[in-house]
Amino acid sequence: MGHLFWLSDEQWAAIEPLLPRNKGGARRVDDRRVISGIIHGLKVGCRWCDCPEEYGPSTTIYNRFNRWSRKRFWIDLVEGLAICGAVTKSTSIDSTYVKAHRSAHGGKGGRKIRLSGRHGAGKRRRSTPLPT
């Protein structure tokens, strides 16, 4: 298993005041642990169910990420961190940082033309799309 990600005391001090407050219902598990798990999962590109158990139940990590996404928490968090100077306003995450799942490279559509490679005894093979 690779290195685990944990929010530092300084990072947590900047984030904690921006967290949504629980308005009744079940007692929420440790936010610092769960947010560290969410960040770890995003950094390494793993499925939520593959997050190390040190972060807590994978369903909690998955549900918290989705619930807070629907409430714009992550956008508000970055804006709040920019206001207090913890990150710059131009901070962004793009596809050069976020890893794609191993199945993300394929897609539907049948056979495509192969632009490179050889087949058989040095003959170039050209695949054409199948008729629909």
Side-chain angles (χ1 to χ4, degrees), residues 94-115:
D94 63 17
S95 62
T96 61
Y97 178 77
V98 177
K99 293 173 177 53
H101 188 269
R102 64 180 170 264
S103 64
H105 73 280
K108 295 182 180 181
R111 297 172 65 186
K112 304 280 190 254
I113 296 173
R114 286 181 63 170
L115 299 176

Side-chain angles (χ1 to χ4, degrees), residues 25-128:
R27 185 170 177 257
R28 210 162 63 201
V29 297
D30 181 17
D31 286 323
R32 187 174 183 172
R33 182 177 73 163
V34 173
I35 292 173
S36 293
I38 290 169
I39 294 170
H40 172 83
L42 295 173
K43 281 181 69 171
V44 301
C46 69
R47 299 178 303 172
W48 296 117
C49 63
D50 292 335
C51 275
E53 61 187 42
E54 288 86 352
Y55 296 122
S58 60
T59 52
T60 300
I61 295 168
Y62 169 79
N63 289 336
R64 183 84 52 89
F65 177 79
N66 282 322
R67 187 177 328 113
W68 285 1
S69 293
R70 286 191 301 272
K71 294 180 178 183
R72 289 184 34 100
F73 167 73
W74 303 111
I75 294 168
D76 295 342
L77 176 69
V78 172
E79 289 174 355
L81 290 172
I83 290 168
C84 75
V87 297
T88 63
K89 192 77 168 172
S90 64
T91 298
S92 67
I93 298 174
D94 63 17
S95 62
T96 61
Y97 178 77
V98 177
K99 293 173 177 53
H101 188 269
R102 64 180 170 264
S103 64
H105 73 280
K108 295 182 180 181
R111 297 172 65 186
K112 304 280 190 254
I113 296 173
R114 286 181 63 170
L115 299 176
S116 65
R118 301 248 177 222
H119 177 71
K123 297 180 183 176
R124 188 167 291 278
R125 181 175 121 185
R126 239 178 136 196
S127 300
T128 54

